[in-house]
Amino acid sequence: MRVGIIGVGCTKFGVHEKTIQELAFDAVKEAIEDADISREDIDMSVVGTSNTRGYELMPAVPINEYCGFAGKGPIRVEAACATGSAALYTAYSSIVSGMADIAVAIGVEKMTELNTPTSLAVGGRSGSYLWEFHQYGTTFPGYYAMHASAHMAKYGTTSEQLAMVAVKNHRNAAKNPKAHFPKEITLEKAVSSRYVAYPLKLFDCCPISDGASAAILASEKKIKELGKEAVWIEGIGYSSDTANVTKRSDYAGLKATVEASKMAYKMAGIENPLKSLDVACLHDCFTIAEIMAYEDLGFCRKGEGGKFVEEGRSDFGGDITVNTFGGLKAKGHPLGATGLAMIYEAVKQLREEAGDLQADLENYKALTHNIGGTGHFGWVFVLGV
Amino acid sequence: MIIEGRELVFKHNIPVTRVEKYWKGLEEGKIYGTVCKSCGAKYSPPQADCSLCYSDDMEWVEIGGEGEVECMTEQHSFPAGFEFLKESYIIAVARFGDFKVVGWAKDKISVGDKVVAETGKDETGVWKVYFRKV
Ligand SMILES: [Zn+2]
């Protein structure tokens, strides 16, 4: 059974003086208006939030109540930074199972209610607490920095190449009013910024943002019945890896990306991603993550990710347009919202509603790549019209 | 308008009974991993159960000798719980034979450097592994 996306919503990412339910409401409202359906048409609500920084420890029901979905679910899902993708999959599954005709996937995160040291200590628990954070004070930037150190040593990837990812994504974010940092940066500014976790500098890191996103999914039968247009979910892939950093065989890539993309490409019938896809939303929580993703998704050979961005192959007019909306790097990365914000962006691109950030479409296919932790979760979706 | 929430402190009591030998070992300058006697799977950090064959018949082995740094970072920001650190700190993963170990590096190190491991405790009394460059 085919499942299509009939409505999407996404708030501006940044610092919001709104509660988690108020923020989720804004995204859901936009998605319902976009789908041109009513609240009562929805059979199942899936709430995705990692919410490890929130005061509302069990937020699914308050969010569901505020959005007017009491009685329709909710199912709460959590997959760290890939939570939004897990929510999409759960909503998709509720339709494929025949239990729901129309389902909403909500992704939301409030990250700015805590101070930075507390937020760092929460993110630093994204590995295996007792053996990593407890003993060594790991942080989330620190984990990606370790991957960057391995990639740079093994393949000669440079700080400049990392910074080129940031420059590209900031250039795109400058045209996106929903971005946390809608402003351009220079390569000079990026490479001369202070270290957060060597070898990663301030401009290699995504900001700490609040945000929400939502997608409304329906069965093909229901979509026909309602006479709607849809963006179809053509490929789904998922994988995961060890919690403990010591139990990984290699640090120059993410196995979860490789495995998830293989599964998604197979389902979508894609043999050569660069030939089949027009746009991609890649998980660039840190610049090194986008470079590893080019390689692990098969856009280039292993070790050539630095060159891929340097040669402009991931920019407008390149082989595949990556992170047209500014990526996590400049648009922001409110954990639970990110995966569905990618879906929002892919849908806008495929409908050719992306305005100044519209990529040229040849195949009308887009990919989203959403990672939880450092490859602790990996999700890839292929969308098409 | 912002309202300050009520304070909530989580300070967990963590059971390490089944891998107690590891924590006691650190106090004696030793780093232990486990090897599954049934299928040979090796675990660092140690596990009391084998994730591959589901056996709980494990042998404790000491990890040592010369290791090689596989990845590292120097942290310039301090998460809550580590305010006692006054300067940036280096976290690395080094391979010692079939086992990988996380540690704090006492010397400036790079990927590929050879290191030896020792144990010690920080200002908060938490025991851990430290690396020294060979
Ligand atoms: Zn075994």
Side-chain angles (χ1 to χ4, degrees):
Chain A
M1 181 204 282
R2 286 213 301 170
V3 174
I5 299 167
I6 57 170
V8 286
C10 185
T11 67
K12 178 179 165 65
F13 286 0
V15 181
H16 285 279
E17 281 194 18
K18 287 188 176 184
T19 63
I20 194 168
Q21 51 267 54
E22 289 166 348
L23 200 54
F25 181 89
D26 290 346
V28 169
K29 184 178 178 180
E30 185 187 347
I32 285 180
E33 284 170 3
D34 184 47
D36 193 21
I37 60 168
S38 83
R39 177 180 62 82
E40 293 88 348
D41 295 328
I42 289 169
D43 303 311
M44 171 56 83
S45 147
V46 181
V47 177
T49 179
S50 81
N51 197 47
T52 43
R53 291 165 177 83
Y55 60 87
E56 194 79 81
L57 296 185
M58 287 158 276
V61 170
I63 290 167
N64 217 47
E65 174 204 299
Y66 202 84
C67 294
F69 298 142
K72 312 284 184 74
I75 301 171
R76 188 231 173 138
V77 299
E78 184 275 318
C81 328
T83 292
S85 291
L88 183 74
Y89 176 79
T90 307
Y92 172 93
S93 300
S94 75
I95 293 169
V96 171
S97 73
M99 292 294 285
D101 292 322
I102 302 181
V104 61
I106 305 167
V108 61
E109 207 73 40
K110 281 286 293 177
M111 300 183 73
T112 66
E113 291 166 1
L114 296 177
N115 63 31
T116 301
T118 309
S119 199
L120 269 176
V122 171
R125 283 161 160 84
S126 58
S128 186
Y129 168 81
L130 192 57
W131 311 102
E132 294 172 5
F133 183 82
H134 181 78
Q135 289 180 300
Y136 304 107
T138 44
T139 63
F140 194 48
Y143 280 114
Y144 270 98
M146 287 196 267
H147 283 264
S149 74
H151 200 278
M152 293 166 99
K154 192 167 181 183
Y155 301 117
T157 307
T158 65
S159 296
E160 285 74 18
Q161 288 170 332
L162 296 183
M164 284 169 194
V165 173
V167 170
K168 169 180 73 70
N169 293 349
H170 271 277
R171 188 163 58 234
N172 296 345
K175 294 180 188 161
N176 180 6
K178 291 193 172 182
H180 190 161
F181 287 126
K183 58 172 189 244
E184 295 199 32
I185 57 162
T186 62
L187 189 70
E188 215 285 313
K189 185 175 181 179
V191 292
S192 61
S193 63
R194 67 178 172 85
Y195 283 115
V196 170
Y198 173 90
L200 298 182
K201 298 168 185 168
L202 184 64
F203 280 98
D204 289 311
C205 308
C206 65
I208 296 174
S209 315
D210 302 324
S213 49
I216 294 168
L217 283 64
S219 65
E220 183 168 23
K221 186 167 165 271
K222 194 73 186 176
I223 289 167
K224 285 202 173 134
E225 200 180 296
L226 296 171
K228 300 215 175 283
E229 298 282 314
V231 170
W232 301 97
I233 298 174
E234 297 182 348
I236 301 175
Y238 56 85
S239 190
S240 56
D241 208 338
T242 66
N244 282 282
V245 67
T246 53
K247 291 175 180 168
R248 304 280 179 93
S249 59
D250 177 53
Y251 303 103
L254 299 181
K255 203 171 81 185
T257 298
V258 176
E259 299 303 324
S261 63
K262 276 185 194 161
M263 191 190 291
Y265 291 159
K266 191 176 174 199
M267 182 173 165
I270 290 174
E271 282 175 10
N272 182 336
L274 285 190
K275 280 202 178 129
S276 301
L277 301 166
D278 300 308
V279 288
C281 300
L282 304 190
H283 196 91
D284 62 326
C285 48
F286 300 93
T287 50
I288 184 62
E290 182 167 320
I291 286 176
M292 291 195 298
Y294 299 148
E295 301 167 359
D296 296 337
L297 290 164
F299 295 177
C300 62
R301 280 203 294 260
K302 197 69 211 162
E304 294 182 355
K307 236 192 284 174
F308 195 78
V309 66
E310 188 172 355
E311 291 169 355
R313 294 176 66 191
S314 54
D315 208 342
F316 283 92
D319 296 2
I320 182 164
T321 323
V322 172
N323 289 334
T324 50
F325 290 81
L328 287 55
K329 172 66 202 83
K331 187 191 175 192
H333 180 28
L335 313 183
T338 291
L340 287 162
M342 290 175 171
I343 295 297
Y344 172 91
E345 292 163 4
V347 165
K348 292 283 177 188
Q349 285 288 345
L350 294 175
R351 288 183 189 159
E352 298 186 282
E353 292 173 357
D356 290 344
L357 293 165
Q358 183 63 49
D360 290 333
L361 303 180
E362 214 176 293
N363 307 292
Y364 289 83
K365 284 197 196 311
L367 173 142
T368 69
H369 161 254
N370 189 197
I371 289 295
T374 25
H376 293 80
F377 300 90
W379 283 93
V380 172
F381 289 94
V382 176
L383 305 185
V385 289
Chain B
M1 186 173 115
I2 302 285
I3 288 175
E4 193 173 82
R6 290 192 190 275
E7 191 172 10
L8 175 64
V9 177
F10 284 78
K11 202 149 195 184
H12 300 96
N13 295 314
I14 302 171
V16 294
T17 310
R18 299 190 70 212
V19 289
E20 193 176 311
K21 193 175 173 70
Y22 169 86
W23 295 95
K24 291 277 171 64
L26 290 180
E27 296 179 23
E28 297 159 7
K30 290 174 178 166
I31 304 159
Y32 286 107
T34 52
V35 179
C36 173
K37 285 186 193 170
S38 170
C39 79
K42 297 181 168 73
Y43 295 97
S44 170
Q47 294 186 190
D49 304 295
C50 181
S51 304
L52 299 185
C53 77
Y54 277 41
S55 167
D56 60 0
D57 192 9
M58 307 294 270
E59 184 187 356
W60 287 88
V61 297
E62 211 183 317
I63 300 168
E66 203 169 88
E68 184 179 321
V69 176
E70 292 207 344
C71 61
M72 57 75 63
T73 179
E74 183 170 356
Q75 288 284 142
H76 291 264
S77 46
F78 309 106
F82 290 82
E83 298 85 352
F84 63 92
L85 292 170
K86 299 285 176 276
E87 283 174 12
S88 59
Y89 56 111
I90 299 172
I91 308 169
V93 178
R95 173 188 283 279
F96 296 82
D98 291 333
F99 296 94
K100 292 188 194 188
V101 176
V102 188
W104 271 357
K106 287 187 167 175
D107 307 308
K108 290 272 172 193
I109 51 158
S110 304
V111 173
D113 281 351
K114 299 280 190 274
V115 291
V116 287
E118 53 190 54
T119 70
K121 59 178 175 179
D122 65 29
E123 288 88 328
T124 56
V126 174
W127 283 86
K128 66 181 95 255
V129 174
Y130 292 88
F131 296 137
R132 278 195 182 283
K133 200 171 165 177
V134 176

